[in-house]
């Protein structure tokens, strides 16, 4: 299995060159495809593929990725060496610096000194102050607590409060600050399974409590509300029933609903995964998704996803999730690597997840003047839609990776020769790149496509990748057009209908 998967990765990387095409027209974005991939895409697999080397962040866990407006950079915090907390910065989400220590256990008065442990760093900003929340082992009790430190710059140095954020008399870990749209702050935390025993079983439970205006203290535990405990089968620890974990909470509000994402099982197990629950209030009650887990192990090389956080693209057009997976899949442990993939919400309120991705993906929209997602709000015209598929699946943001979600793709119901997709805008756009994702099923995949523009410009015989989740990328120096039309140039092997997983167009 391992050899087969690694061979797949190597073939995938080789195939990427086949699915890419540079088109000469203007003179604004005059770079090679190699430079384009380097400057405008990111790739999770650079962390794990031997042919690429370990150039990403490994040896970490619980990643929190965010964009800091003051410095115009992406940052990441996470579990690192156990005795200190680090922060990394990046311009492109692939190339990260070597990291800087922002606080260590010797600077935390209440942290244990003989057997130190610090993890789960999460940074938020209010006004001109940055707040660092984290978990650490407490010195006078044999269990962890949650701390808070502040700084005037995102990279610190951070000064600890001098005592835990709160101490309710039991183990608490996996901190998360959630600020609602009305600016009310809440704190989500885990009552650790270490000393929480229910009917002879160690269980972790997820709670929420209101945060005071200073962001340095909370209400008492009597006002805290239990949100989740482990009761779905995938949440049970592999190989035994003495321990049950739900942890790594993160709340994201979408429209009028609150989505509580969490990890379950055990972080060092292949079965470790991410699920979510939904509520009409941040304080619950939350109803777990029946299709949990949402993010789970996909192959030997892609195991143990967990502890995800969220961040938006600079222009807020796209939502991303950062999470970790095991670096050494033969020996899963606390050594994990950073993954970043797109995530979003369907019209029915369910969550989609584009991954785990293992090929070059476009940088978040708004990365620079040439890289703004202009297809998201475009008008879509299609020749027809096959029953059971989504007529809006072309630009809904979802790249389907699993057969259970296949209906969210688009497939035409007419002949391949007559099938088409037309993307248009109310006014002329400047286009620099197009990403085309093939559908899951082979019988809907084309071998080559033609792309026609409103200004009579055409790009013919674009070869499409046959790998799930890998985009075929066409870059332009500059093309100005009011619409783009895609048709089939050459049918794929056994193709019965024309289908597409997703089209993403970037420009300005």
């Amino acid at each position: 299995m391992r050899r087969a998967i690694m061979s797949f990765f190597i073939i995938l990387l080789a195939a990427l060159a086949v699915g890419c095409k540079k088109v000469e027209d203007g003179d604004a974005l005059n770079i090679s495809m190699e430079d384009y991939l380097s400057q405008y895409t990111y790739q999770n697999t650079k962390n794990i593929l031997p042919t690429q080397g370990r150039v990403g962040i490994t040896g970490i866990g619980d990643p929190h990725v965010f964009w800091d407006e003051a410095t115009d950079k992406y940052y990441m915090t996470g579990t690192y060496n156990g005795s200190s907390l680090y922060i990394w910065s990046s311009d492109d989400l692939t190339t990260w610096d070597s990291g800087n220590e922002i606080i260590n256990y010797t600077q935390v008065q209440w942290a244990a000194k003989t057997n130190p442990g610090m993890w789960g760093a999460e940074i938020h900003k209010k006004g001109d102050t940055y707040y660092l929340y984290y978990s650490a082992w407490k010195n006078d009790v044999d269990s962890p607590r949650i701390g808070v430190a502040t700084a005037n710059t995102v990279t610190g140095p951070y000064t600890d409060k001098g005592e835990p954020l709160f101490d309710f008399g039991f183990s608490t870990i996996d901190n998360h600050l959630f600020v609602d749209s009305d600016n009310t702050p809440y704190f989500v935390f885990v009552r650790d399974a270490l000393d929480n025993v229910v009917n002879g079983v160690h269980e972790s439970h997820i709670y929420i409590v209101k945060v005071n205006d200073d962001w340095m203290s909370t209400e008492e535990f009597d006002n805290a509300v239990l949100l989740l405990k482990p009761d779905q089968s995938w949440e049970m620890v592999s190989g035994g029933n003495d321990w049950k974990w739900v942890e790594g909470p993160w709340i994201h509000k979408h429209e009028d609903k609150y989505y509580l994402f969490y990890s379950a099982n055990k972080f060092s197990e292949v079965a470790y995964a991410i699920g979510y629950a939904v509520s009409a209030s941040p304080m619950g009650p939350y109803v777990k998704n029946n299709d949990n887990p949402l993010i789970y192990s996909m192959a030997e090389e892609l195991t143990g996803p967990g502890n995800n956080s969220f961040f938006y693209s600079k222009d807020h057009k796209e939502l991303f999730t950062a999470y970790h997976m095991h670096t050494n899949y033969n020996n899963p442990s606390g050594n994990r690597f950073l993954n970043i993939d797109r995530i979003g919400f369907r019209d029915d309120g369910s969550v989609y997840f584009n991954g785990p991705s293992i090929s070059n993906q476009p940088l978040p929209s708004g990365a620079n003047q040439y890289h703004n997602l202009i297809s998201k709000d475009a008008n879509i015209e299609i020749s027809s839609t096959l029953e059971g598929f989504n007529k809006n699946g072309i630009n809904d943001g979802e790249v389907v990776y699993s057969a259970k979600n296949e209906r969210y793709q688009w497939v035409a119901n007419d002949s391949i020769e007559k099938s088409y997709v037309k993307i248009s805008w109310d006014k002329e756009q400047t286009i620099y790149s197009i990403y085309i994702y093939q559908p899951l099923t082979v019988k809907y995949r084309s071998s080559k496509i033609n792309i026609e523009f409103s200004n009579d410009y055409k790009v013919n015989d674009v070869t499409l990748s046959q790998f799930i989740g890998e985009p075929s990328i066409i870059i332009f120096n500059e093309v100005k057009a009011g619409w783009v039309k895609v048709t089939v140039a050459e049918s794929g092997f056994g193709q019965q209908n024309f289908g597409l997983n997703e089209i993403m167009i970037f420009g300005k």
Side-chain angles (χ1 to χ4, degrees), residues 61-64 79 119-120 174 247-250 261-264 267 272-274 304-310 321-324 336:
D62 315 332
H64 174 212
T79 301
W119 67 94
D174 288 9
E247 57 187 25
W250 186 282
F261 292 83
Y262 65 98
S263 303
F267 73 90
Y272 198 56
I274 299 170
N307 286 71
N308 64 321
S309 61
F310 289 75
T321 186
Y323 59 104
H324 64 233
R336 293 151 291 182

PDB file of all heavy atoms in Angstrom, residues 61-64 79 119-120 174 247-250 261-264 267 272-274 304-310 321-324 336:
ATOM      1  N   GLY A  61       2.069  20.526  16.235  1.00  0.00           N
ATOM      2  CA  GLY A  61       0.685  20.087  16.350  1.00  0.00           C
ATOM      3  C   GLY A  61      -0.200  21.266  16.682  1.00  0.00           C
ATOM      4  O   GLY A  61       0.284  22.359  16.994  1.00  0.00           O
ATOM      5  N   ASP A  62      -1.504  21.060  16.608  1.00  0.00           N
ATOM      6  CA  ASP A  62      -2.481  22.083  17.007  1.00  0.00           C
ATOM      7  C   ASP A  62      -2.234  23.431  16.331  1.00  0.00           C
ATOM      8  O   ASP A  62      -2.139  24.473  17.006  1.00  0.00           O
ATOM      9  CB  ASP A  62      -2.445  22.282  18.524  1.00  0.00           C
ATOM     10  CG  ASP A  62      -2.403  20.975  19.291  1.00  0.00           C
ATOM     11  OD1 ASP A  62      -2.918  19.976  18.771  1.00  0.00           O
ATOM     12  OD2 ASP A  62      -1.849  20.949  20.400  1.00  0.00           O
ATOM     13  N   PRO A  63      -2.125  23.485  15.008  1.00  0.00           N
ATOM     14  CA  PRO A  63      -1.744  24.741  14.345  1.00  0.00           C
ATOM     15  C   PRO A  63      -2.851  25.787  14.359  1.00  0.00           C
ATOM     16  O   PRO A  63      -4.018  25.491  14.144  1.00  0.00           O
ATOM     17  CB  PRO A  63      -1.433  24.295  12.915  1.00  0.00           C
ATOM     18  CG  PRO A  63      -2.300  23.086  12.712  1.00  0.00           C
ATOM     19  CD  PRO A  63      -2.324  22.391  14.043  1.00  0.00           C
ATOM     20  N   HIS A  64      -2.446  27.014  14.619  1.00  0.00           N
ATOM     21  CA  HIS A  64      -3.340  28.170  14.502  1.00  0.00           C
ATOM     22  C   HIS A  64      -2.713  29.118  13.498  1.00  0.00           C
ATOM     23  O   HIS A  64      -1.699  29.765  13.783  1.00  0.00           O
ATOM     24  CB  HIS A  64      -3.510  28.853  15.857  1.00  0.00           C
ATOM     25  CG  HIS A  64      -4.299  30.129  15.805  1.00  0.00           C
ATOM     26  ND1 HIS A  64      -4.070  31.192  16.645  1.00  0.00           N
ATOM     27  CD2 HIS A  64      -5.307  30.518  14.987  1.00  0.00           C
ATOM     28  CE1 HIS A  64      -4.904  32.171  16.355  1.00  0.00           C
ATOM     29  NE2 HIS A  64      -5.670  31.791  15.350  1.00  0.00           N
ATOM     30  N   THR A  79       1.865  23.578  18.857  1.00  0.00           N
ATOM     31  CA  THR A  79       2.660  22.786  19.779  1.00  0.00           C
ATOM     32  C   THR A  79       3.989  22.454  19.123  1.00  0.00           C
ATOM     33  O   THR A  79       4.028  21.985  17.989  1.00  0.00           O
ATOM     34  CB  THR A  79       1.912  21.501  20.148  1.00  0.00           C
ATOM     35  OG1 THR A  79       0.666  21.856  20.739  1.00  0.00           O
ATOM     36  CG2 THR A  79       2.705  20.649  21.107  1.00  0.00           C
ATOM     37  N   TRP A 119       1.602  23.896  25.227  1.00  0.00           N
ATOM     38  CA  TRP A 119       1.074  23.532  23.919  1.00  0.00           C
ATOM     39  C   TRP A 119      -0.173  24.362  23.588  1.00  0.00           C
ATOM     40  O   TRP A 119      -0.671  25.116  24.408  1.00  0.00           O
ATOM     41  CB  TRP A 119       0.740  22.036  23.873  1.00  0.00           C
ATOM     42  CG  TRP A 119      -0.387  21.595  24.750  1.00  0.00           C
ATOM     43  CD1 TRP A 119      -1.701  21.466  24.395  1.00  0.00           C
ATOM     44  CD2 TRP A 119      -0.311  21.223  26.141  1.00  0.00           C
ATOM     45  NE1 TRP A 119      -2.445  21.029  25.470  1.00  0.00           N
ATOM     46  CE2 TRP A 119      -1.616  20.870  26.549  1.00  0.00           C
ATOM     47  CE3 TRP A 119       0.729  21.150  27.070  1.00  0.00           C
ATOM     48  CZ2 TRP A 119      -1.900  20.456  27.844  1.00  0.00           C
ATOM     49  CZ3 TRP A 119       0.441  20.733  28.370  1.00  0.00           C
ATOM     50  CH2 TRP A 119      -0.854  20.394  28.741  1.00  0.00           C
ATOM     51  N   GLY A 120      -0.644  24.184  22.352  1.00  0.00           N
ATOM     52  CA  GLY A 120      -1.916  24.774  21.941  1.00  0.00           C
ATOM     53  C   GLY A 120      -1.933  26.281  21.860  1.00  0.00           C
ATOM     54  O   GLY A 120      -2.949  26.917  22.173  1.00  0.00           O
ATOM     55  N   ASP A 174      -6.529  22.833  25.824  1.00  0.00           N
ATOM     56  CA  ASP A 174      -7.054  23.114  24.474  1.00  0.00           C
ATOM     57  C   ASP A 174      -7.957  24.343  24.447  1.00  0.00           C
ATOM     58  O   ASP A 174      -9.168  24.260  24.260  1.00  0.00           O
ATOM     59  CB  ASP A 174      -7.768  21.885  23.916  1.00  0.00           C
ATOM     60  CG  ASP A 174      -6.796  20.791  23.549  1.00  0.00           C
ATOM     61  OD1 ASP A 174      -5.600  20.920  23.881  1.00  0.00           O
ATOM     62  OD2 ASP A 174      -7.215  19.798  22.934  1.00  0.00           O
ATOM     63  N   GLU A 247     -11.597  17.000  21.905  1.00  0.00           N
ATOM     64  CA  GLU A 247     -10.669  18.075  22.236  1.00  0.00           C
ATOM     65  C   GLU A 247     -10.498  19.007  21.037  1.00  0.00           C
ATOM     66  O   GLU A 247     -11.202  18.884  20.038  1.00  0.00           O
ATOM     67  CB  GLU A 247      -9.316  17.483  22.649  1.00  0.00           C
ATOM     68  CG  GLU A 247      -8.685  16.586  21.602  1.00  0.00           C
ATOM     69  CD  GLU A 247      -7.437  15.880  22.107  1.00  0.00           C
ATOM     70  OE1 GLU A 247      -7.298  15.690  23.336  1.00  0.00           O
ATOM     71  OE2 GLU A 247      -6.592  15.505  21.271  1.00  0.00           O
ATOM     72  N   GLY A 248      -9.532  19.923  21.142  1.00  0.00           N
ATOM     73  CA  GLY A 248      -9.218  20.838  20.045  1.00  0.00           C
ATOM     74  C   GLY A 248     -10.406  21.628  19.536  1.00  0.00           C
ATOM     75  O   GLY A 248     -10.633  21.705  18.325  1.00  0.00           O
ATOM     76  N   PRO A 249     -11.203  22.289  20.397  1.00  0.00           N
ATOM     77  CA  PRO A 249     -12.417  22.968  19.929  1.00  0.00           C
ATOM     78  C   PRO A 249     -12.119  24.268  19.183  1.00  0.00           C
ATOM     79  O   PRO A 249     -11.124  24.951  19.445  1.00  0.00           O
ATOM     80  CB  PRO A 249     -13.177  23.254  21.227  1.00  0.00           C
ATOM     81  CG  PRO A 249     -12.092  23.404  22.259  1.00  0.00           C
ATOM     82  CD  PRO A 249     -11.028  22.404  21.865  1.00  0.00           C
ATOM     83  N   TRP A 250     -13.001  24.600  18.250  1.00  0.00           N
ATOM     84  CA  TRP A 250     -12.941  25.880  17.530  1.00  0.00           C
ATOM     85  C   TRP A 250     -14.353  26.214  17.062  1.00  0.00           C
ATOM     86  O   TRP A 250     -15.004  25.406  16.411  1.00  0.00           O
ATOM     87  CB  TRP A 250     -12.010  25.790  16.323  1.00  0.00           C
ATOM     88  CG  TRP A 250     -11.806  27.120  15.636  1.00  0.00           C
ATOM     89  CD1 TRP A 250     -12.678  27.736  14.778  1.00  0.00           C
ATOM     90  CD2 TRP A 250     -10.686  27.989  15.764  1.00  0.00           C
ATOM     91  NE1 TRP A 250     -12.167  28.930  14.360  1.00  0.00           N
ATOM     92  CE2 TRP A 250     -10.937  29.123  14.946  1.00  0.00           C
ATOM     93  CE3 TRP A 250      -9.484  27.928  16.463  1.00  0.00           C
ATOM     94  CZ2 TRP A 250     -10.039  30.176  14.832  1.00  0.00           C
ATOM     95  CZ3 TRP A 250      -8.593  28.975  16.350  1.00  0.00           C
ATOM     96  CH2 TRP A 250      -8.864  30.081  15.534  1.00  0.00           C
ATOM     97  N   PHE A 261     -16.202  22.943  15.803  1.00  0.00           N
ATOM     98  CA  PHE A 261     -15.333  21.905  15.268  1.00  0.00           C
ATOM     99  C   PHE A 261     -14.484  21.344  16.411  1.00  0.00           C
ATOM    100  O   PHE A 261     -14.065  22.081  17.316  1.00  0.00           O
ATOM    101  CB  PHE A 261     -14.441  22.477  14.168  1.00  0.00           C
ATOM    102  CG  PHE A 261     -15.197  22.859  12.934  1.00  0.00           C
ATOM    103  CD1 PHE A 261     -15.846  24.089  12.860  1.00  0.00           C
ATOM    104  CD2 PHE A 261     -15.281  22.003  11.849  1.00  0.00           C
ATOM    105  CE1 PHE A 261     -16.568  24.443  11.730  1.00  0.00           C
ATOM    106  CE2 PHE A 261     -15.997  22.345  10.715  1.00  0.00           C
ATOM    107  CZ  PHE A 261     -16.650  23.578  10.654  1.00  0.00           C
ATOM    108  N   TYR A 262     -14.231  20.057  16.368  1.00  0.00           N
ATOM    109  CA  TYR A 262     -13.471  19.421  17.437  1.00  0.00           C
ATOM    110  C   TYR A 262     -12.794  18.156  16.904  1.00  0.00           C
ATOM    111  O   TYR A 262     -13.165  17.625  15.847  1.00  0.00           O
ATOM    112  CB  TYR A 262     -14.385  19.079  18.613  1.00  0.00           C
ATOM    113  CG  TYR A 262     -15.444  18.042  18.292  1.00  0.00           C
ATOM    114  CD1 TYR A 262     -15.268  16.703  18.628  1.00  0.00           C
ATOM    115  CD2 TYR A 262     -16.620  18.394  17.639  1.00  0.00           C
ATOM    116  CE1 TYR A 262     -16.235  15.747  18.330  1.00  0.00           C
ATOM    117  CE2 TYR A 262     -17.586  17.457  17.338  1.00  0.00           C
ATOM    118  CZ  TYR A 262     -17.395  16.134  17.677  1.00  0.00           C
ATOM    119  OH  TYR A 262     -18.340  15.197  17.360  1.00  0.00           O
ATOM    120  N   SER A 263     -11.787  17.703  17.629  1.00  0.00           N
ATOM    121  CA  SER A 263     -11.073  16.481  17.278  1.00  0.00           C
ATOM    122  C   SER A 263     -11.435  15.397  18.285  1.00  0.00           C
ATOM    123  O   SER A 263     -11.785  15.691  19.434  1.00  0.00           O
ATOM    124  CB  SER A 263      -9.562  16.710  17.273  1.00  0.00           C
ATOM    125  OG  SER A 263      -9.217  17.747  16.390  1.00  0.00           O
ATOM    126  N   ALA A 264     -11.308  14.148  17.873  1.00  0.00           N
ATOM    127  CA  ALA A 264     -11.674  13.047  18.765  1.00  0.00           C
ATOM    128  C   ALA A 264     -10.812  11.828  18.494  1.00  0.00           C
ATOM    129  O   ALA A 264     -10.119  11.741  17.492  1.00  0.00           O
ATOM    130  CB  ALA A 264     -13.149  12.697  18.605  1.00  0.00           C
ATOM    131  N   PHE A 267      -4.671  11.667  19.758  1.00  0.00           N
ATOM    132  CA  PHE A 267      -3.850  12.388  18.784  1.00  0.00           C
ATOM    133  C   PHE A 267      -2.794  11.520  18.124  1.00  0.00           C
ATOM    134  O   PHE A 267      -2.368  11.795  17.005  1.00  0.00           O
ATOM    135  CB  PHE A 267      -3.187  13.601  19.442  1.00  0.00           C
ATOM    136  CG  PHE A 267      -2.053  13.267  20.374  1.00  0.00           C
ATOM    137  CD1 PHE A 267      -0.758  13.179  19.900  1.00  0.00           C
ATOM    138  CD2 PHE A 267      -2.281  13.054  21.729  1.00  0.00           C
ATOM    139  CE1 PHE A 267       0.295  12.880  20.743  1.00  0.00           C
ATOM    140  CE2 PHE A 267      -1.242  12.749  22.580  1.00  0.00           C
ATOM    141  CZ  PHE A 267       0.060  12.654  22.092  1.00  0.00           C
ATOM    142  N   TYR A 272      -7.532   9.279  14.668  1.00  0.00           N
ATOM    143  CA  TYR A 272      -7.765  10.658  15.096  1.00  0.00           C
ATOM    144  C   TYR A 272      -8.382  11.433  13.939  1.00  0.00           C
ATOM    145  O   TYR A 272      -7.947  11.312  12.788  1.00  0.00           O
ATOM    146  CB  TYR A 272      -6.443  11.297  15.505  1.00  0.00           C
ATOM    147  CG  TYR A 272      -6.549  12.533  16.358  1.00  0.00           C
ATOM    148  CD1 TYR A 272      -7.240  12.532  17.558  1.00  0.00           C
ATOM    149  CD2 TYR A 272      -5.907  13.709  15.976  1.00  0.00           C
ATOM    150  CE1 TYR A 272      -7.307  13.667  18.358  1.00  0.00           C
ATOM    151  CE2 TYR A 272      -5.957  14.852  16.768  1.00  0.00           C
ATOM    152  CZ  TYR A 272      -6.665  14.828  17.954  1.00  0.00           C
ATOM    153  OH  TYR A 272      -6.718  15.960  18.741  1.00  0.00           O
ATOM    154  N   ALA A 273      -9.412  12.237  14.200  1.00  0.00           N
ATOM    155  CA  ALA A 273     -10.154  12.880  13.116  1.00  0.00           C
ATOM    156  C   ALA A 273     -10.864  14.124  13.638  1.00  0.00           C
ATOM    157  O   ALA A 273     -10.842  14.423  14.839  1.00  0.00           O
ATOM    158  CB  ALA A 273     -11.155  11.903  12.514  1.00  0.00           C
ATOM    159  N   ILE A 274     -11.512  14.846  12.708  1.00  0.00           N
ATOM    160  CA  ILE A 274     -12.184  16.113  13.022  1.00  0.00           C
ATOM    161  C   ILE A 274     -13.659  16.020  12.647  1.00  0.00           C
ATOM    162  O   ILE A 274     -14.006  15.619  11.536  1.00  0.00           O
ATOM    163  CB  ILE A 274     -11.535  17.284  12.262  1.00  0.00           C
ATOM    164  CG1 ILE A 274     -10.064  17.432  12.667  1.00  0.00           C
ATOM    165  CG2 ILE A 274     -12.292  18.588  12.518  1.00  0.00           C
ATOM    166  CD1 ILE A 274      -9.292  18.397  11.785  1.00  0.00           C
ATOM    167  N   GLY A 304      -4.327  10.851  10.800  1.00  0.00           N
ATOM    168  CA  GLY A 304      -4.441  11.572  12.052  1.00  0.00           C
ATOM    169  C   GLY A 304      -4.704  13.054  11.986  1.00  0.00           C
ATOM    170  O   GLY A 304      -4.122  13.817  12.760  1.00  0.00           O
ATOM    171  N   PRO A 305      -5.595  13.546  11.094  1.00  0.00           N
ATOM    172  CA  PRO A 305      -5.850  14.988  11.071  1.00  0.00           C
ATOM    173  C   PRO A 305      -6.518  15.449  12.362  1.00  0.00           C
ATOM    174  O   PRO A 305      -7.367  14.751  12.916  1.00  0.00           O
ATOM    175  CB  PRO A 305      -6.792  15.151   9.868  1.00  0.00           C
ATOM    176  CG  PRO A 305      -7.500  13.835   9.783  1.00  0.00           C
ATOM    177  CD  PRO A 305      -6.478  12.806  10.171  1.00  0.00           C
ATOM    178  N   GLY A 306      -6.125  16.639  12.835  1.00  0.00           N
ATOM    179  CA  GLY A 306      -6.749  17.113  14.062  1.00  0.00           C
ATOM    180  C   GLY A 306      -6.453  18.563  14.376  1.00  0.00           C
ATOM    181  O   GLY A 306      -5.628  19.207  13.740  1.00  0.00           O
ATOM    182  N   ASN A 307      -7.191  19.059  15.386  1.00  0.00           N
ATOM    183  CA  ASN A 307      -7.007  20.391  15.971  1.00  0.00           C
ATOM    184  C   ASN A 307      -6.957  21.488  14.920  1.00  0.00           C
ATOM    185  O   ASN A 307      -5.966  22.192  14.767  1.00  0.00           O
ATOM    186  CB  ASN A 307      -5.743  20.406  16.822  1.00  0.00           C
ATOM    187  CG  ASN A 307      -5.943  19.665  18.131  1.00  0.00           C
ATOM    188  OD1 ASN A 307      -6.042  18.441  18.142  1.00  0.00           O
ATOM    189  ND2 ASN A 307      -5.995  20.388  19.228  1.00  0.00           N
ATOM    190  N   ASN A 308      -8.063  21.642  14.206  1.00  0.00           N
ATOM    191  CA  ASN A 308      -8.081  22.625  13.125  1.00  0.00           C
ATOM    192  C   ASN A 308      -8.485  24.010  13.609  1.00  0.00           C
ATOM    193  O   ASN A 308      -9.228  24.168  14.574  1.00  0.00           O
ATOM    194  CB  ASN A 308      -9.003  22.164  11.994  1.00  0.00           C
ATOM    195  CG  ASN A 308     -10.449  22.058  12.402  1.00  0.00           C
ATOM    196  OD1 ASN A 308     -10.760  21.625  13.504  1.00  0.00           O
ATOM    197  ND2 ASN A 308     -11.345  22.444  11.521  1.00  0.00           N
ATOM    198  N   SER A 309      -7.948  25.008  12.925  1.00  0.00           N
ATOM    199  CA  SER A 309      -8.312  26.405  13.147  1.00  0.00           C
ATOM    200  C   SER A 309      -8.747  26.992  11.811  1.00  0.00           C
ATOM    201  O   SER A 309      -8.585  26.355  10.765  1.00  0.00           O
ATOM    202  CB  SER A 309      -7.132  27.187  13.723  1.00  0.00           C
ATOM    203  OG  SER A 309      -6.035  27.182  12.819  1.00  0.00           O
ATOM    204  N   PHE A 310      -9.274  28.214  11.828  1.00  0.00           N
ATOM    205  CA  PHE A 310      -9.814  28.826  10.618  1.00  0.00           C
ATOM    206  C   PHE A 310      -9.190  30.197  10.365  1.00  0.00           C
ATOM    207  O   PHE A 310      -8.852  30.918  11.298  1.00  0.00           O
ATOM    208  CB  PHE A 310     -11.335  28.986  10.731  1.00  0.00           C
ATOM    209  CG  PHE A 310     -12.094  27.695  10.663  1.00  0.00           C
ATOM    210  CD1 PHE A 310     -12.122  26.832  11.743  1.00  0.00           C
ATOM    211  CD2 PHE A 310     -12.769  27.331   9.513  1.00  0.00           C
ATOM    212  CE1 PHE A 310     -12.810  25.642  11.684  1.00  0.00           C
ATOM    213  CE2 PHE A 310     -13.459  26.136   9.441  1.00  0.00           C
ATOM    214  CZ  PHE A 310     -13.480  25.283  10.527  1.00  0.00           C
ATOM    215  N   THR A 321      -8.936  26.213   6.483  1.00  0.00           N
ATOM    216  CA  THR A 321      -8.701  25.578   7.766  1.00  0.00           C
ATOM    217  C   THR A 321      -7.283  25.044   7.808  1.00  0.00           C
ATOM    218  O   THR A 321      -6.781  24.493   6.821  1.00  0.00           O
ATOM    219  CB  THR A 321      -9.709  24.436   8.038  1.00  0.00           C
ATOM    220  OG1 THR A 321      -9.507  23.945   9.365  1.00  0.00           O
ATOM    221  CG2 THR A 321      -9.583  23.295   7.052  1.00  0.00           C
ATOM    222  N   ALA A 322      -6.614  25.269   8.934  1.00  0.00           N
ATOM    223  CA  ALA A 322      -5.273  24.735   9.175  1.00  0.00           C
ATOM    224  C   ALA A 322      -5.410  23.590  10.167  1.00  0.00           C
ATOM    225  O   ALA A 322      -6.147  23.693  11.156  1.00  0.00           O
ATOM    226  CB  ALA A 322      -4.358  25.818   9.722  1.00  0.00           C
ATOM    227  N   TYR A 323      -4.713  22.492   9.920  1.00  0.00           N
ATOM    228  CA  TYR A 323      -4.802  21.317  10.788  1.00  0.00           C
ATOM    229  C   TYR A 323      -3.495  20.541  10.677  1.00  0.00           C
ATOM    230  O   TYR A 323      -2.650  20.838   9.838  1.00  0.00           O
ATOM    231  CB  TYR A 323      -5.991  20.441  10.404  1.00  0.00           C
ATOM    232  CG  TYR A 323      -5.963  19.931   8.972  1.00  0.00           C
ATOM    233  CD1 TYR A 323      -5.609  18.613   8.682  1.00  0.00           C
ATOM    234  CD2 TYR A 323      -6.286  20.766   7.904  1.00  0.00           C
ATOM    235  CE1 TYR A 323      -5.573  18.144   7.371  1.00  0.00           C
ATOM    236  CE2 TYR A 323      -6.250  20.307   6.598  1.00  0.00           C
ATOM    237  CZ  TYR A 323      -5.896  19.001   6.339  1.00  0.00           C
ATOM    238  OH  TYR A 323      -5.855  18.542   5.044  1.00  0.00           O
ATOM    239  N   HIS A 324      -3.316  19.557  11.533  1.00  0.00           N
ATOM    240  CA  HIS A 324      -2.090  18.766  11.463  1.00  0.00           C
ATOM    241  C   HIS A 324      -2.383  17.331  11.049  1.00  0.00           C
ATOM    242  O   HIS A 324      -3.509  16.846  11.165  1.00  0.00           O
ATOM    243  CB  HIS A 324      -1.336  18.780  12.804  1.00  0.00           C
ATOM    244  CG  HIS A 324      -2.093  18.133  13.939  1.00  0.00           C
ATOM    245  ND1 HIS A 324      -2.323  18.770  15.137  1.00  0.00           N
ATOM    246  CD2 HIS A 324      -2.659  16.911  14.074  1.00  0.00           C
ATOM    247  CE1 HIS A 324      -2.987  17.965  15.947  1.00  0.00           C
ATOM    248  NE2 HIS A 324      -3.207  16.830  15.323  1.00  0.00           N
ATOM    249  N   ARG A 336       3.990  16.048  13.990  1.00  0.00           N
ATOM    250  CA  ARG A 336       2.975  16.232  12.956  1.00  0.00           C
ATOM    251  C   ARG A 336       3.368  17.378  12.033  1.00  0.00           C
ATOM    252  O   ARG A 336       4.284  18.134  12.341  1.00  0.00           O
ATOM    253  CB  ARG A 336       1.617  16.508  13.613  1.00  0.00           C
ATOM    254  CG  ARG A 336       1.064  15.309  14.376  1.00  0.00           C
ATOM    255  CD  ARG A 336       0.191  15.706  15.540  1.00  0.00           C
ATOM    256  NE  ARG A 336       0.937  16.319  16.607  1.00  0.00           N
ATOM    257  CZ  ARG A 336       0.405  16.723  17.764  1.00  0.00           C
ATOM    258  NH1 ARG A 336      -0.896  16.594  17.970  1.00  0.00           N
ATOM    259  NH2 ARG A 336       1.161  17.268  18.691  1.00  0.00           N
TER     260      ARG A 336
END
